[in-house]
Amino acid sequence: MKSFYFIGIFISFKIYAQSPLFIPDTLSGSEINLSIKEGSHSFYTSYNTSIIGYNGNLLGPTIILHKGQTVQMNVANELNDTTTTHWHGLHVSPQNDGSPHNLIMANTTWSPKFEVMDKAATYWYHPHLHGKTMKQVIQGAAGMIIVRDDEESKLNLPRTYGVDDIPLIMQWRTFDTNKQIVLDDEADNVAMVNGTINGVLEVPAQMVRFRLLNGSSHRFFNFAFSDNRNFQIIANDESLLNKPVSVKQLIVSPGERFEIIVDFKEQQGQSFFINQLGMSLPNGYPGGPPLGMMGMNMTMGPLDNTDFSLLKIDVKAPTPNAIKEISSSLTTNEPINESGATTRNFQLRGLPMMSMTNFTINNEQYDHEKINFKVKQDDVMIWNITNQSMMPHPWHIHGNYFYIKSINGQAPPAYMKGRKDVVTIPPMNGSAQIVMKYEDFADSEMPYMYHCHILSHEDRGMMGSFLVTDANLTDVLNNITKDITIKVYPNPSQNNWQIESTSGEPILFYQLCNIDGKLIEEHSIKNTSFLINNTNLSSGNYFITVSTKQNSQIFKVIKQ
Ligand code: C2O
Ligand code: CU
Ligand code: CU
């Protein structure tokens, strides 16, 4: 009896040793400057952990945008590595999307400029370099984007950032004994919110909005409060819901966002915890109980299949003009008219089935040189995604939202009925059906991506690309080869590479980089063809980026 009591004291002591929840700064306006670089972060007192991050911080600034504004993003790459910065969820052209095709070489700045066309909701940004997305994200490079619009601004909702409107970026990481981040590890041994382990947050005794983002590489959160209270979901990935939906638990998959409202009006002076209920996740979900097929234990991390506290909440005095009730009607999500829709099937597999190393979509791994298919702008598309593997896969598309038609043949829950860009396909022959329409940004060269948002799956092949082509083109659905306007040859080569613009559009600029993204040379030119002499280069792989007025293409070349 005595020792039991002692353990009880020990545990509560451990839980209360907490630091204030970190709230990232905000950036807004027509020009947003980000630089991705190395830095350090103190996850544990008296340890400095090396990280990379936007503006040097573990989580970059929260970018606040307003629908209808034009924004220029300047992303300076101060790493010794190539990167990209993807605006996850924003409706932008493929050139501005920050996909694996929009490389930012070391010591260069990428400056996409676009109109914000999205509805008010919570979006995010993160690197998306093929094969290195997980590495760069778990090292710390990610941030939140909040889009506001006139419709949302008129509603009775909390929206004072950091006061009654709080970002909660939930992540898992693995630390070694020196408290350095372990890369390429799937055994995540620590969960955190906004980079704070065992954080504490003071909230006012009123309606408080939390913007939940699961920015983890693998694991799912099953989010709940320690008093098992109800909370109201008001938004999912890319829009408000038509009406708030009340729940007690909410599963948030990697890449996914929800906005929730919690009523603390009557609770000044009280404390709560936000908990992870890992034991109640469905079987096979990373973070939850193992699937347990054939006696295999698929649990990989020490916190998998456990329940624990993520964040302590202390309720303080309300603010002046506190929001006491929220609007009961939020927006109208107009269904997509499905007449004439085309259907496309995707099968997700791990090869072999138990594998943690090779993931495929329709039996193919991602090929950066290939466009998987084309669709026509304005076509209504229904995608059926089925999962032949033992793990769930959070399916994500770029550049547009979709609506979920069904999950395992059932209508989705009410809190997934807004505009979405992530849907989890359940394991063991689970399925989902989504419907979408790409109405803007036709492009004959630059694709959009679709992929699993478990970052190691994405890096290991569970990704594809497709072109949204002009509605007036006739060959679109059959012709799946990339339209080449720039050729680089011979490849491999011993003496020089010939660069040629086959469409006759002059080449304005080229860059030659090594495989790590280090710049070797760059030149302005104005010609439809030229030679790069490579006799002095050591043999190996290089990247050549060639830019015309219309586009920029990157080629992987081999010096023999
Ligand atoms: Cu969050 Cu393709 O990305
Ligand atoms: Cu994305
Ligand atoms: Cu996956």
Side-chain angles (χ1 to χ4, degrees):
M1 198 62 196
K2 216 169 194 174
S3 65
F4 178 76
Y5 185 59
F6 187 77
I7 288 169
I9 289 174
F10 176 73
I11 288 173
S12 52
F13 176 77
K14 197 176 150 201
I15 289 172
Y16 282 88
Q18 287 168 323
S19 24
L21 181 75
F22 169 68
I23 304 286
D25 290 342
T26 62
L27 283 180
S28 57
S30 56
E31 201 169 335
I32 304 283
N33 294 311
L34 298 172
S35 59
I36 180 167
K37 55 183 165 200
E38 292 172 3
S40 77
H41 184 82
S42 185
F43 291 96
Y44 295 93
T45 28
S46 72
Y47 286 93
N48 278 329
T49 304
S50 303
I51 57 120
I52 65 169
Y54 290 99
N55 299 352
N57 297 320
L58 178 81
L59 291 168
T62 296
I63 298 172
I64 300 186
L65 300 173
H66 203 98
K67 183 177 180 186
Q69 81 164 98
T70 297
V71 66
Q72 164 143 3
M73 304 285 198
N74 299 311
V75 187
N77 178 4
E78 296 177 25
L79 301 173
N80 280 323
D81 198 356
T82 308
T83 191
T84 81
T85 295
H86 169 53
W87 319 110
H88 178 132
L90 294 190
H91 181 50
V92 294
S93 73
Q95 280 88 358
N96 291 335
D97 180 63
S99 79
H101 298 267
N102 311 130
L103 299 185
I104 317 173
M105 297 301 176
N107 303 313
T108 65
T109 299
W110 180 57
S111 297
K113 187 172 178 181
F114 52 84
E115 185 190 333
V116 179
M117 298 170 77
D118 303 271
K119 289 186 81 164
T122 304
Y123 303 81
W124 65 304
Y125 60 100
H126 61 79
H128 213 306
L129 182 66
H130 180 51
K132 289 192 180 169
T133 297
M134 171 166 144
K135 179 172 178 255
Q136 296 187 341
V137 173
I138 65 177
Q139 281 185 288
M144 185 175 273
I145 300 172
I146 295 174
V147 175
R148 303 191 187 286
D149 66 16
D150 294 345
E151 184 189 34
E152 188 270 350
S153 301
K154 290 190 189 110
L155 298 173
N156 211 25
L157 289 175
R159 62 175 69 78
T160 310
Y161 182 82
V163 176
D164 62 5
D165 184 348
I166 316 277
L168 298 182
I169 305 174
M170 307 182 289
Q171 292 179 307
W172 297 69
R173 287 194 164 80
T174 308
F175 292 95
D176 66 16
T177 48
N178 295 317
K179 305 296 186 207
Q180 298 303 306
I181 296 168
V182 178
L183 306 174
D184 301 321
D185 182 276
E186 296 177 357
D188 294 338
N189 56 21
V190 178
M192 62 193 71
V193 181
N194 298 353
T196 313
I197 301 167
N198 289 329
V200 58
L201 172 70
E202 295 188 352
V203 298
Q206 62 205 52
M207 294 291 192
V208 175
R209 179 182 196 161
F210 293 105
R211 295 174 187 264
L212 313 184
L213 157 62
N214 184 347
S216 305
S217 57
H218 293 79
R219 283 174 168 69
F220 289 68
F221 282 96
N222 188 14
F223 181 100
F225 286 85
S226 52
D227 59 349
N228 201 28
R229 69 174 53 215
N230 278 84
F231 53 91
Q232 301 189 72
I233 305 173
I234 56 162
N236 60 194
D237 299 331
E238 298 202 17
S239 69
L240 292 164
L241 301 173
N242 292 359
K243 291 183 178 54
V245 177
S246 177
V247 298
K248 287 178 191 292
Q249 287 181 25
L250 177 60
I251 294 176
V252 191
S253 68
E256 202 173 26
R257 291 90 64 208
F258 289 99
E259 294 174 24
I260 65 167
I261 301 284
V262 187
D263 182 355
F264 293 112
K265 277 199 300 282
E266 307 299 327
Q267 281 142 345
Q268 187 173 337
Q270 298 181 28
S271 294
F272 302 92
F273 286 95
I274 287 177
N275 288 339
Q276 154 74 341
L277 301 184
M279 294 167 79
S280 315
L281 279 169
N283 289 357
Y285 279 50
L291 200 53
M293 274 235 333
M294 295 172 240
M296 267 195 53
N297 186 346
M298 303 279 285
T299 308
M300 293 186 298
L303 295 178
D304 285 351
N305 198 21
T306 61
D307 294 352
F308 57 89
S309 303
L310 284 167
L311 176 68
K312 187 181 179 224
I313 307 257
D314 289 338
V315 186
K316 301 291 178 186
T319 61
N321 310 317
I323 302 286
K324 295 203 177 81
E325 291 308 322
I326 63 163
S327 303
S328 56
S329 158
L330 301 170
T331 190
T332 308
N333 285 295
E334 299 280 0
I336 296 175
N337 180 343
E338 290 173 26
S339 65
T342 55
T343 301
R344 195 170 280 277
N345 297 316
F346 300 86
Q347 290 201 327
L348 311 184
R349 287 198 168 86
L351 291 175
M353 197 177 175
M354 304 283 183
S355 164
M356 294 293 144
T357 49
N358 292 302
F359 292 94
T360 62
I361 300 174
N362 291 344
N363 298 318
E364 284 183 277
Q365 284 186 288
Y366 178 66
D367 176 350
H368 194 61
E369 308 304 317
K370 180 175 167 182
I371 305 287
N372 291 84
F373 57 90
K374 297 184 180 187
V375 303
K376 276 193 212 175
Q377 183 180 345
D378 294 331
D379 269 6
V380 177
M381 302 187 285
I382 294 173
W383 288 8
N384 296 314
I385 310 123
T386 53
N387 181 353
Q388 313 296 323
S389 76
M390 295 180 63
M391 292 174 81
H393 299 287
W395 178 267
H396 170 56
I397 64 165
H398 280 210
N400 215 83
Y401 64 89
F402 54 73
Y403 288 115
I404 302 174
K405 274 172 70 69
S406 65
I407 299 175
N408 280 348
Q410 310 282 310
Y415 60 84
M416 290 189 191
K417 284 189 173 160
R419 296 181 172 191
K420 293 278 293 160
D421 59 47
V422 179
V423 59
T424 293
I425 321 297
M428 309 305 288
N429 220 13
S431 66
Q433 228 184 17
I434 59 178
V435 56
M436 72 203 105
K437 186 177 178 186
Y438 281 73
E439 293 176 290
D440 306 290
F441 309 125
D443 195 304
S444 59
E445 299 267 326
M446 186 69 83
Y448 284 119
M449 318 307 291
Y450 51 92
H451 60 88
C452 172
H453 221 289
I454 290 182
L455 300 181
S456 65
H457 297 187
E458 170 192 331
D459 282 338
R460 292 168 186 172
M462 199 171 253
M463 177 157 74
S465 66
F466 67 105
L467 289 178
V468 175
T469 58
D470 198 297
N472 299 319
L473 293 181
T474 46
D475 70 326
V476 282
L477 287 170
N478 312 320
N479 178 0
I480 58 161
T481 48
K482 194 166 170 177
D483 300 304
I484 295 169
T485 58
I486 297 167
K487 281 200 221 160
V488 175
Y489 60 91
N491 184 22
S493 134
Q494 277 170 342
N495 306 308
N496 45 52
W497 287 297
Q498 172 83 32
I499 316 289
E500 199 178 313
S501 162
T502 53
S503 59
E505 202 192 332
I507 294 165
L508 301 178
F509 182 72
Y510 86 89
Q511 275 188 334
L512 174 68
C513 294
N514 73 10
I515 194 77
D516 297 321
K518 276 251 164 61
L519 185 65
I520 296 168
E521 61 179 48
E522 58 183 344
H523 284 292
S524 298
I525 14 194
K526 208 173 182 176
N527 217 322
T528 52
S529 77
F530 63 97
L531 276 186
I532 300 177
N533 184 320
N534 63 24
T535 37
N536 294 328
L537 295 178
S538 46
S539 49
N541 289 316
Y542 294 87
F543 287 114
I544 296 174
T545 310
V546 184
S547 304
T548 63
K549 197 171 164 213
Q550 303 292 336
N551 91 89
S552 177
Q553 243 179 291
I554 179 134
F555 300 88
K556 190 168 163 195
V557 290
I558 300 171
K559 162 72 184 33
Q560 282 181 323

